[in-house]
């Protein structure tokens, strides 16, 4: 087959087709299989090689069969066959390498490199495996031998990140971007590294890179710090204002005072327009004085920076779109949903204050393969469900919620982001049997920040479990009592002042932010919109948990814990160092870890679980 490989390397596919025609049937089918593999048609390749094997079963054909099985994702069969072939040729480096593609760990790769030393592809795969196992020092040695190979530089940066050397990682990524300005992966790692470092070298290339990658994870979080260093980069600030809610107290204060000046001397500009759309998203929660509001009429250019525009008021197309056309579309969409039960205080809260207020989705890489069917229970305004649709592009995604206002926000965003295959339904997750359209079971059920708002969370969890397919998985999110303890003073004050309009209540809370008891509040994104504030401090019904309570609830629902999701790598590393990797699924150890680092689950406990065996 050497001449076949040579033609393949030279890209002479039509010569190969001709060669196949003039070869024996066995040889011809074998060549066609190799060609189909090169063309990324694994099923055709498998078909050809199986037909050739019916005629003759040489070592070379069985080897190609193993590669075809690998390409078709039939890993176990491929591994079994490779083990058989290795008994015949234990010094065959390619066989070891292919085996390494299906077997975890480093053993097969080390064998491959023993048989064929100085093999860049195998060395780089070994570096990746070592990185996965947290053996970073050795990983670095292997990768640094091969830095000229495409992709190796990024692996080096990721290893350096994993070693906690975030500033070095950022420098490496900047170097990569200098050589390959379109490398989005390097840009993304740059942002992650700067975020993890919590500071950055005063290199204006960071601001340049942010401008090119604003939809990458972490980018928008960096804008406030970058803006503090380069305030003249007004474009970056405007991009943030149009895409997300500013959740940075010093920046909000600056914007508030800029708005006051603009109110006095309105000069149409990019920032005024961006702030008008931003403030619509955060429900005009910034602090304001009676003086600023006095005499402010809809035809004043500053009006949409303070309140939603009424119909007919003059404004730019962007402001009209956000202030008038999008809400009108939501009213239209609301007709398709049955009205919600206003008796239920939780439904009423989310009808009045749909949550969360959001604009853009992160640029999440899609995940191949399963799940086929996903349910998002309590989808709110849709960000979560639409992220699922992005993450699982081949899956059917169903999303339900109690609140029509949330669902129409979600449906409008689905239209805008062209993710209309998500099916939104108004339904109570406690009464799934009444939702006739809903499929009977799902491979994945996600419910983040929902069950702890039910009167009976365990019953809600059981209702969801009843729709889980055999071997299905769940991703759940619950409040941590310990992580939210610091909110107590703010909660007490909010509760005492709950008669105030939310904007006034927020101003009152903001006046306390300098005190030790309240400073914590500024770290919660929910502080930066009115619906968020209500969700955070004035919820109609919520319960908080510790990890033993959660463990018991999972057990009672017949579930077992499958690991936390979304924790920063530095947290996982700290846990592994303290308790060992084998304890990652041990909630008792996590409880001790949380005792020692109470802010670990400030976002929430977000974790995977699945039905317990038996
Ligand atoms: C805090 S929001 C979370 C939204 C979304 N999961 C997210 O993370 O962005 C809680 C949502 O759960 C919904 N919800 C509460 N109880 C529900 C129930 N019994 N059935 C369906 N949805 C419910 C609320 O209407 C609200 O939209």
């Amino acid at each position: 087959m050497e001449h076949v490989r040579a033609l393949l390397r030279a890209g002479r596919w039509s010569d190969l087709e001709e060669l196949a025609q003039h070869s024996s049937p066995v040889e011809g089918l074998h060549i066609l299989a190799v060609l189909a593999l090169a063309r990324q048609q694994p099923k055709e390749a498998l078909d050809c090689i199986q037909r050739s094997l019916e005629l003759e079963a040489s070592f070379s054909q069985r080897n190609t069969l193993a590669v075809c099985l690998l390409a078709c994702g039939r890993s176990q069969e491929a591994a079994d066959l490779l083990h058989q072939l290795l008994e015949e040729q234990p010094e065959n480096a390619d066989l070891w390498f292919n085996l390494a593609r299906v077997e975890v760990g480093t053993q097969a790769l080390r064998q491959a490199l023993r048989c064929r030393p100085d093999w860049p592809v195998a060395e780089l795969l070994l570096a990746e495996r070592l990185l996965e196992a947290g053996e970073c020092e050795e990983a670095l040695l292997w990768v640094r031998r091969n830095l000229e190979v495409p992709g190796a530089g990024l692996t080096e940066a990721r290893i350096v990140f994993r070693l906690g050397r975030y500033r070095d990682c950022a420098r490496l990524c900047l170097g990569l971007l200098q050589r390959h300005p379109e490398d989005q992966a390097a840009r993304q790692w740059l942002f992650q590294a700067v975020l993890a470092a919590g500071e950055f070298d005063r290199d204006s290339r960071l601001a340049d890179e942010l401008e090119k990658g604003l939809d990458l994870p972490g980018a928008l979080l960096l804008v406030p710090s970058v803006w503090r260093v380069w305030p003249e980069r007004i474009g970056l600030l405007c991009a943030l204002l149009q895409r997300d809610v500013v959740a940075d107290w010093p920046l909000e204060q600056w914007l508030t005072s800029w708005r006051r000046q603009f109110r006095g001397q309105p000069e149409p500009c990019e920032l005024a327009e961006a702030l008008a759309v931003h403030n619509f998203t955060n429900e005009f929660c910034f602090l304001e004085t009676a003086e600023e509001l006095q005499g402010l009429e809809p035809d004043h250019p500053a009006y949409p920076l303070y309140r939603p525009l009424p119909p007919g008021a003059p404004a730019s197309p962007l402001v009209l779109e956000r202030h008038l056309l999008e809400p009108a579309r939501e009213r239209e969409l609301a007709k398709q949903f049955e009205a919600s039960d206003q008796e239920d205080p939780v439904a009423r809260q989310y009808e009045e204050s749909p949550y969360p207020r959001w604009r853009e989705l992160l640029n999440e890489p899609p995940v191949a393969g399963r799940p086929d069917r996903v349910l998002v229970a309590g989808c709110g305004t849709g960000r979560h469900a639409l992220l699922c649709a992005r993450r699982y592009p081949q899956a059917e995604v169903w999303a339900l919620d109690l609140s029509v206002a949330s669902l129409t926000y979600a449906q409008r965003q689905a239209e805008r982001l062209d993710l209309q295959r998500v099916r939104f339904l108004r339904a109570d997750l406690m009464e799934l049997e009444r939702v006739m359209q809903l499929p009977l079971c799902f491979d994945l059920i996600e419910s983040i920040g929902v069950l702890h708002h039910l009167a009976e969370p365990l019953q809600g969890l059981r209702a969801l479990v009843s729709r889980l397919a055999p071997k299905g998985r769940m991703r759940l999110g619950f409040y941590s009592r310990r992580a939210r303890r610091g909110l107590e003073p703010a909660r007490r004050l909010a509760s005492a002042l709950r008669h105030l309009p939310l904007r006034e209540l927020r101003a009152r809370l903001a006046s306390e932010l300098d005190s030790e008891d309240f400073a914590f509040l500024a770290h919660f994104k929910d502080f930066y919109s009115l619906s968020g504030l209500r969700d955070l401090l004035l919820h109609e019904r919520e319960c908080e948990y510790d990890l033993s309570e959660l463990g018991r609830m999972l057990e009672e629902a017949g579930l077992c814990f499958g690991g936390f999701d979304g924790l920063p790598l530095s947290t996982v590393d700290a846990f592994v160092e303290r308790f060992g990797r084998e304890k990652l699924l041990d909630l008792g150890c996590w409880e001790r870890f949380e005792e020692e680092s109470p802010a670990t689950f400030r976002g929430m406990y977000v974790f995977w679980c699945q039905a317990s065996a038996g």
Side-chain angles (χ1 to χ4, degrees):
M1 291 296 280
E2 214 23 73
H3 59 298
V4 173
R5 289 206 191 91
L7 288 174
L8 208 55
R9 274 195 296 274
R12 290 167 55 187
W13 291 1
S14 49
D15 289 350
L16 273 173
E17 274 167 3
E18 207 174 312
L19 184 64
Q21 273 176 16
H22 295 104
S23 304
S24 68
V26 179
E27 188 77 3
L29 283 164
H30 193 176
I31 294 171
L32 289 178
V34 172
L35 195 55
L37 277 174
R39 288 179 164 146
Q40 315 230 355
Q41 298 168 333
K43 284 199 183 117
E44 287 77 354
L46 186 60
D47 180 55
C48 290
I49 197 67
Q50 280 171 334
R51 279 164 48 212
S52 98
L53 279 161
E54 281 164 15
L55 305 171
E56 191 184 308
S58 70
F59 182 90
S60 163
Q61 284 160 281
R62 284 165 30 230
N63 189 10
T64 304
L65 172 63
V67 179
C68 292
L69 289 168
L70 265 177
C72 289
R74 290 165 60 176
S75 311
Q76 191 52 52
E77 289 162 78
D80 292 345
L81 179 54
L82 285 163
H83 278 292
Q84 283 171 24
L85 294 168
L86 275 164
E87 276 177 28
E88 292 169 42
Q89 291 194 6
E91 299 302 310
N92 186 322
D94 291 313
L95 292 178
W96 283 115
F97 183 78
N98 283 333
L99 187 61
R101 289 166 57 196
V102 271
E103 289 192 349
V104 290
T106 58
Q107 203 197 348
L109 276 170
R110 290 189 194 279
Q111 290 286 7
L113 283 165
R114 180 185 57 75
C115 302
R116 188 187 298 159
D118 301 322
W119 185 6
V121 183
E123 291 186 0
L124 285 173
L125 188 56
L126 179 57
E128 286 284 351
R129 292 287 166 86
L130 289 164
L131 170 61
E132 269 165 35
E135 293 174 40
C136 297
E137 300 291 352
E138 190 191 344
L140 210 49
L141 292 179
W142 287 108
V143 84
R144 287 198 168 147
R145 287 161 52 91
N146 294 290
L147 284 176
E148 74 294 347
V149 178
L154 188 61
T155 307
E156 182 191 21
R158 288 166 47 225
I159 299 171
V160 168
F161 182 97
R162 194 78 162 75
L163 282 165
R165 290 164 39 197
Y166 304 123
R167 293 171 73 105
D168 289 340
C169 174
R171 255 175 247 129
L172 286 172
C173 291
L174 279 172
L176 290 172
L177 285 161
Q178 209 160 1
R179 271 167 277 142
H180 305 285
E182 299 313 318
D183 187 343
Q184 287 289 69
R187 192 164 285 121
Q188 180 166 339
W189 278 97
L190 168 68
F191 300 161
Q192 297 308 319
V194 177
L195 278 173
E199 55 179 352
F200 49 89
D201 297 332
R202 309 225 149 188
D203 181 337
S204 66
R205 282 181 300 167
L206 175 60
D208 297 340
E209 294 307 338
L210 266 182
E211 271 165 10
K212 292 183 210 150
L214 276 164
D215 60 346
L216 293 175
L220 293 178
L221 288 176
L222 282 174
V223 174
S225 347
V226 167
W227 165 81
R228 276 189 267 285
V229 180
W230 294 285
E232 69 281 8
R233 298 272 191 150
I234 214 73
L236 265 183
L237 186 54
C238 292
L240 167 63
L241 291 169
Q242 291 188 29
R243 285 173 167 75
D244 200 3
V245 164
V246 166
D248 178 279
W249 182 237
L251 177 53
E252 177 179 326
Q253 287 174 297
W254 184 85
L255 288 167
T256 307
S257 85
W258 186 90
R259 180 175 71 164
R260 200 169 302 132
Q261 280 172 27
F262 181 77
R263 164 77 176 101
Q265 291 174 320
E267 278 291 324
C269 64
E270 193 190 356
L271 183 55
E273 183 182 54
L275 200 51
V277 298
H278 171 267
N279 289 2
F280 183 83
T281 307
N282 79 3
E283 301 156 303
F284 305 94
C285 72
F286 287 2
L287 275 54
E288 56 196 23
T289 60
E291 199 186 351
E292 280 171 274
L293 294 178
Q294 196 176 13
L296 181 62
E297 297 296 335
D299 58 355
H300 191 285
Y303 189 88
L305 281 68
Y306 287 87
R307 291 293 181 270
L309 273 182
S316 71
L318 179 66
V319 176
L320 281 179
E321 170 81 20
R322 300 278 184 100
H323 282 228
L324 290 165
L325 301 181
E326 291 188 351
R329 179 68 188 139
E330 284 175 29
R331 286 193 294 279
E332 187 60 31
L333 288 167
K335 294 179 192 153
Q336 75 190 52
F337 297 106
E338 177 198 333
S340 66
D341 171 11
Q342 292 291 314
E343 297 292 298
D344 176 0
V346 173
R348 204 171 48 236
Q349 168 173 341
Y350 287 110
E351 218 47 89
E352 291 164 3
S353 307
Y355 175 95
R357 305 279 298 178
W358 66 284
R359 189 73 203 162
E360 300 299 339
L361 281 186
L362 290 183
N363 190 352
E364 278 237 353
V367 176
R370 281 174 75 104
D372 294 332
R373 222 175 247 163
V374 180
L375 172 65
V376 179
C379 62
T381 49
R383 185 181 52 188
H384 178 178
L386 297 177
L387 263 179
C388 281
R390 278 258 171 95
R391 202 175 291 147
Y392 308 114
Q394 78 303 342
E396 250 179 55
V397 181
W398 295 75
L400 56 87
D401 201 280
L402 282 182
S403 140
V404 175
S406 302
L407 289 162
T408 54
Y409 193 111
Q411 184 83 60
R412 175 183 58 70
Q413 287 282 59
E415 288 178 358
R416 194 175 74 77
L417 298 167
D418 198 16
L419 286 167
Q420 294 178 72
R421 68 199 166 81
V422 179
R423 277 168 262 196
F424 289 102
L425 299 175
R426 204 201 78 75
D428 185 337
L429 70 84
M430 301 294 285
E431 298 176 355
L432 291 180
E433 67 289 349
R434 292 180 49 191
V435 195
M436 303 318 279
Q437 312 93 301
L438 204 64
L440 276 182
C441 61
F442 295 86
D443 308 301
L444 173 62
I445 299 183
E446 303 216 348
S447 192
I448 310 285
V450 179
L451 296 171
H452 53 218
H453 294 310
L454 301 182
E456 295 182 80
L458 175 60
Q459 296 315 325
L461 182 56
R462 286 192 169 131
L464 295 182
V465 172
S466 73
R467 294 300 184 111
L468 196 59
K471 299 204 175 146
R473 301 219 298 157
M474 299 181 90
R475 198 166 73 100
L476 303 174
F478 290 88
Y479 285 146
S480 151
R481 182 177 302 122
R482 200 183 296 274
R484 291 165 70 86
R485 202 168 279 159
L487 281 174
E488 264 321 302
R491 281 213 178 131
R492 272 197 302 275
L493 181 61
S495 172
L497 300 176
R498 66 184 311 144
H499 57 280
L500 289 180
L502 280 170
R503 195 174 297 116
E504 283 174 43
L505 169 63
R506 183 172 187 274
R508 182 71 184 75
L509 289 161
S511 70
E512 303 281 347
L513 283 182
D514 286 338
S515 76
E516 208 180 305
D517 271 357
F518 284 75
F520 193 57
L521 199 52
H523 299 295
F524 283 83
K525 185 161 189 183
D526 285 346
F527 179 65
Y528 297 90
S529 69
L530 297 184
S531 315
L533 189 73
R534 184 169 179 188
D535 200 82
L536 184 68
L537 299 180
L538 287 170
H539 208 286
E540 295 295 335
R541 182 167 61 220
E542 71 181 34
C543 31
E544 295 170 340
Y545 292 84
D546 62 30
L547 285 171
S548 347
E549 288 162 342
L550 268 186
R552 278 197 297 280
M553 181 151 83
L554 292 183
E555 206 177 312
E556 285 174 49
L559 293 169
C560 62
F561 177 68
F564 286 109
D565 186 46
L567 288 177
L569 266 179
S570 52
T571 304
V572 178
D573 283 347
F575 177 92
V576 168
E577 190 159 318
R578 170 94 171 73
F579 296 101
R581 190 163 288 280
E582 68 286 359
K583 295 288 183 194
L584 275 170
L585 298 186
D586 184 328
L587 283 176
C589 291
W590 276 108
E591 184 151 42
R592 278 162 55 205
F593 185 83
E594 194 189 10
E595 247 169 63
E596 291 159 20
S597 315
T600 305
F601 299 103
R602 189 159 65 199
M604 233 183 268
Y605 297 121
V606 178
F607 55 90
W608 293 97
C609 50
Q610 60 269 320
S612 314

